[in-house]
Amino acid sequence: MAIQPFDNRPGVIWMDGQYVPWADAKVHVLTHALHYASAVFEGERAYGGVIFRLEDHTRRLQESARLLGFEIPFPAETINKACADLLVRQGHMDAYVRPIAWRGSEMMGVAAQNNTIHLGIAVWEWPSYFSPEERLKGLRLDMAKYRRPDPMTAPSKSKASGLYMICTISKHRAERRGYADAMMLDWQGRVAECTGANIFFVKDGKIHTPIADCFLDGLTRQTVIALAKKRGFEVIERRIMPDELSTFSECFITGSAAEVTAVSEIGGQWNFNPGGITKTLMEDYTAAVNPSGKAAAA
Ligand code: PMP
């Protein structure tokens, strides 16, 4: 089956308060966001017709915009309702939800203080980011060349489009080299995260993860930490240097898109055993996102 391009699909997109036919939800080529990356977005997932942690995603979207110096001109309730209504309108139960806010076209310089702020929301049916096979086998991660920037260099707590430039470069390079994704270090050379997911390790039955001080403290990361603690696992947030990776037995990544996915190898140097605590948390996460509260197979 031919891939359906994202600019031409059936149904509607919510744009600035209106439902518009999918193919008509356009911006002009002279849009500040396109030139200067003045855009913030979210990535959410609906399970069984319910968007997981919708309110938290909307709050983060608003906060991301504030960090870039603009206010989204719709209250959280409107955004939440638009996301939920769109899901029903498009007839999806298990889907990806993508709100994006951006600066418009009134001014086209670095300064664009008074440009109109727009908000668009699209939903689409989306299978698991990684195939179930990959998730059980564990992903192979490359080491990215780029590092997560110092929070004094970029608004690293914002889910801002501009910050994804190095993610796309790193993910493309990883794919060219035969890997599924890349692990990025931070500006100080410490283990940080992947190009669209946070990272965890296991050693002696304890879970270790980098402190989220220069990258997104993902909602999935927070959920998984809570689930792990509920199981009685110790979760240690600390600085992790790459030379320590050989001491870990398991590795997994977390994200709204990636969910909980095992890692089998990083950079051809470090190997891990998928399973164990990773498998338990995969199952717990699947149960947590299921709106009926029943555990489904991970
Ligand atoms: N880091 C990056 C760079 C991401 O793009 C994402 C996905 N939003 C995450 C971490 C995980 O965030 P969340 O669990 O909130 O989806």
Side-chain angles (χ1 to χ4, degrees), residues 67-110:
L67 288 166
L68 263 62
F70 65 85
E71 197 77 33
I72 298 174
F74 297 95
E77 305 77 64
T78 305
I79 302 172
N80 292 337
K81 187 169 182 323
C83 291
D85 287 353
L86 205 47
L87 200 63
V88 174
R89 251 188 114 121
Q90 289 294 95
H92 299 319
M93 296 300 277
D94 300 305
Y96 188 76
V97 183
R98 169 56 60 87
I100 179 161
W102 70 96
R103 282 197 168 104
S105 300
E106 287 83 354
M107 286 177 74
M108 275 303 290
V110 172

Side-chain angles (χ1 to χ4, degrees), residues 72-232:
I72 298 174
F74 297 95
E77 305 77 64
T78 305
I79 302 172
N80 292 337
K81 187 169 182 323
C83 291
D85 287 353
L86 205 47
L87 200 63
V88 174
R89 251 188 114 121
Q90 289 294 95
H92 299 319
M93 296 300 277
D94 300 305
Y96 188 76
V97 183
R98 169 56 60 87
I100 179 161
W102 70 96
R103 282 197 168 104
S105 300
E106 287 83 354
M107 286 177 74
M108 275 303 290
V110 172
Q113 303 273 12
N114 300 317
N115 279 21
T116 305
I117 305 302
H118 299 273
L119 177 66
I121 308 171
V123 306
W124 58 87
E125 234 165 6
W126 214 44
S128 205
Y129 199 42
F130 299 112
S131 74
E133 239 177 18
E134 266 182 320
R135 287 174 35 149
L136 283 175
K137 263 196 343 211
L139 301 174
R140 294 177 58 246
L141 303 181
D142 195 7
M143 286 289 285
K145 271 208 285 198
Y146 283 103
R147 293 180 171 194
R148 302 308 306 177
D150 177 350
M152 299 296 282
T153 301
S156 49
K157 288 288 170 191
S158 175
K159 194 166 164 63
S161 299
L163 291 169
Y164 283 85
M165 174 181 63
I166 55 173
C167 298
T168 298
I169 293 172
S170 303
K171 177 121 179 166
H172 283 185
R173 178 171 172 271
E175 287 179 350
R176 275 198 308 275
R177 287 153 51 94
Y179 293 95
D181 198 359
M183 185 184 79
M184 305 179 87
L185 303 179
D186 73 7
W187 58 288
Q188 291 181 297
R190 304 179 301 211
V191 172
E193 60 166 354
C194 287
T195 64
N198 293 118
I199 196 159
F200 289 78
F201 301 93
V202 175
K203 174 160 51 177
D204 302 329
K206 292 178 186 167
I207 298 167
H208 301 251
T209 193
I211 298 163
D213 57 1
C214 62
F215 52 86
L216 282 185
D217 176 5
L219 295 173
T220 320
R221 178 183 185 276
Q222 296 167 24
T223 299
V224 166
I225 288 174
L227 290 170
K229 287 183 175 167
K230 208 166 140 199
R231 281 258 176 206

